[in-house]
Amino acid sequence: MDEDGAVDAPWLDRKQLRAWVRLVGVLELLPGVLDAQLRRDADVTHFEYYVLAVLSESPDRTLRMTELARHTNATLPRLSHVVSRLESRDLVERFPCPEDRRATNARLTDAGWSKVQEAAPGHAVTVREHVVDALTDEQVDQLAAIGDAVLARLDPTGAMAEIYTRYDGEPPARD
Amino acid sequence: MDEDGAVDAPWLDRKQLRAWVRLVGVLELLPGVLDAQLRRDADVTHFEYYVLAVLSESPDRTLRMTELARHTNATLPRLSHVVSRLESRDLVERFPCPEDRRATNARLTDAGWSKVQEAAPGHAVTVREHVVDALTDEQVDQLAAIGDAVLARLDPTGAMAEIYTRYDGEPPARD
DNA sequence: CCACGATGGTTGTCCTTACAACTTTCATGG
DNA sequence: CCATGAAAGTTGTAAGGACAACCATCGTGG
């Protein structure tokens, strides 16, 4: 962005590089660990589990596709495919939204509810083992703050803001 | 793991959940941002870029596949496929390792080197915009420490330990 | 009241990754 | 010095996600 074309934001200094390399490592390894455990124990991917979990907390266990996509950080096409699969497994059902006939609602079925209840404890153990229990209480808070800051940059539309802020005092049973 | 079957590691408390939900958000969104920029500006995925970058820093720009896999947090099959693609684009070349005839060395070509040099500045800008510049200096250090702690749990074989610790004083030109 | 852009969602295709099977070479014990 | 298991890679296939194209509905200005 600079006239001399190269040294506006030169590179990362050592400390920044340290942090970045580690973040990349986590980015690369953590999803695999989460998927593996949930696939093995509950036959769902982490993203599928997350979709089910979000629905399980929503009023009437129902959410419009667009809202569900925002809550799960997914694009609409991706979500659509995933919900199709979940629907074929009777974990979720779709039905047209009465107020807006363009829109579709996704609702968790009883089987889907059961799936979340069954999968949740094992998933929680994995999350603790690989992340939470590795950190001090202080670091957990720091991670939340860092996540806030980064998500504010990542989420173009600021869609999360409202969603994430509500975790400042909230009931249990969530991913 | 508990006899009564449910409440050994009950669930995450609110603070932990806050942190976890945000981490999941970053996990879901950041890779897409990195890939999009690098695809657009340099026609490589983030993982491909990372592979090239690691090679570019290695002695003689060469590394054995297994070593390269460890440095990039990848499985060998995945790396093998990726290197095949990079090789077909003349960014990397493979040749048998003299000392161990099972092994294969991957070496960065001149074209690969150029690719890294060209892509690096834009990539750095993206990393700064979406992560580093969103954080205070203190948070950058915290993130590094958190990454250390988590990676220690994620990496079963402790393979990274040696790799990551070296970023405590190191030359530039790296991802 | 209708034309047009925006919103909500689905579908199809391609690319990448995961997983498992397989080959070759090494190393070790008998 | 051979048999056996481990280590190093490659390859095939099947599944998931990105992206673009597409259809339907809404809402607003003329």
Side-chain angles (χ1 to χ4, degrees), chain A residues 110-163:
Chain A
D110 290 346
W113 174 263
S114 301
K115 173 69 78 178
V116 176
Q117 303 310 314
E118 293 162 13
H123 176 55
V125 169
T126 303
V127 172
R128 297 176 84 81
E129 280 182 353
H130 292 87
V131 180
V132 173
D133 287 353
L135 306 178
T136 65
D137 286 359
E138 215 183 352
Q139 284 179 316
V140 170
D141 291 340
Q142 293 169 356
L143 177 56
I146 290 169
D148 271 335
V150 172
L151 284 171
R153 303 285 186 108
L154 285 179
D155 176 31
T157 70
M160 334 258 97
E162 83 203 54
I163 294 168

Side-chain angles (χ1 to χ4, degrees), chain A residues 159-173:
Chain A
M160 334 258 97
E162 83 203 54
I163 294 168
Y164 286 110
T165 48
R166 70 174 217 203
Y167 285 99
D168 300 333
E170 190 71 8

Side-chain angles (χ1 to χ4, degrees), chain A residues 37-48:
Chain A
Q37 181 267 319
L38 282 167
R39 287 290 294 226
R40 175 166 47 76
D41 296 345
D43 194 35
V44 289
T45 64
H46 177 249
F47 182 73
E48 288 171 340

Side-chain angles (χ1 to χ4, degrees), chain A residues 1 6 9-31 33-34 46-47 49-50 57 72-74 78 120-121 123-125 127-135 137 139-151 153-155 160 164-175, chain B residues 1 6 9-31 33-34 46-47 49-50 57 72-74 78 120-121 123-125 127-135 137 139-151 153-155 160 164-175:
Chain A
M1 303 306 190
W11 192 242
L12 291 78
D13 64 35
R14 280 206 204 79
K15 297 174 85 163
Q16 293 170 340
L17 194 53
R18 257 178 70 89
W20 175 244
V21 167
R22 281 158 180 75
L23 179 55
V24 169
V26 172
L27 243 45
E28 212 62 70
L29 295 175
L30 189 47
V33 170
L34 300 177
H46 177 249
F47 182 73
Y49 172 81
Y50 202 86
E57 293 177 344
T72 55
N73 310 298
R78 179 187 180 191
H123 176 55
V125 169
V127 172
R128 297 176 84 81
E129 280 182 353
H130 292 87
V131 180
V132 173
D133 287 353
L135 306 178
D137 286 359
Q139 284 179 316
V140 170
D141 291 340
Q142 293 169 356
L143 177 56
I146 290 169
D148 271 335
V150 172
L151 284 171
R153 303 285 186 108
L154 285 179
D155 176 31
M160 334 258 97
Y164 286 110
T165 48
R166 70 174 217 203
Y167 285 99
D168 300 333
E170 190 71 8
R174 180 41 148 72
D175 181 301
Chain B
M1 303 304 192
W11 193 240
L12 291 77
D13 65 36
R14 280 207 205 78
K15 297 174 86 163
Q16 293 170 341
L17 194 52
R18 256 178 71 90
W20 176 245
V21 167
R22 281 158 179 74
L23 179 55
V24 169
V26 172
L27 243 44
E28 213 61 70
L29 294 175
L30 189 47
V33 170
L34 300 176
H46 176 249
F47 182 72
Y49 171 82
Y50 203 87
E57 294 177 346
T72 56
N73 310 296
R78 179 187 181 191
H123 176 55
V125 169
V127 172
R128 298 175 82 82
E129 281 181 352
H130 292 87
V131 179
V132 173
D133 287 351
L135 306 177
D137 285 359
Q139 284 179 317
V140 169
D141 291 340
Q142 292 169 356
L143 177 56
I146 290 168
D148 271 335
V150 172
L151 284 170
R153 303 284 186 110
L154 286 179
D155 177 30
M160 336 257 94
Y164 286 110
T165 48
R166 71 175 215 201
Y167 285 99
D168 301 333
E170 192 71 8
R174 181 39 149 71
D175 180 302

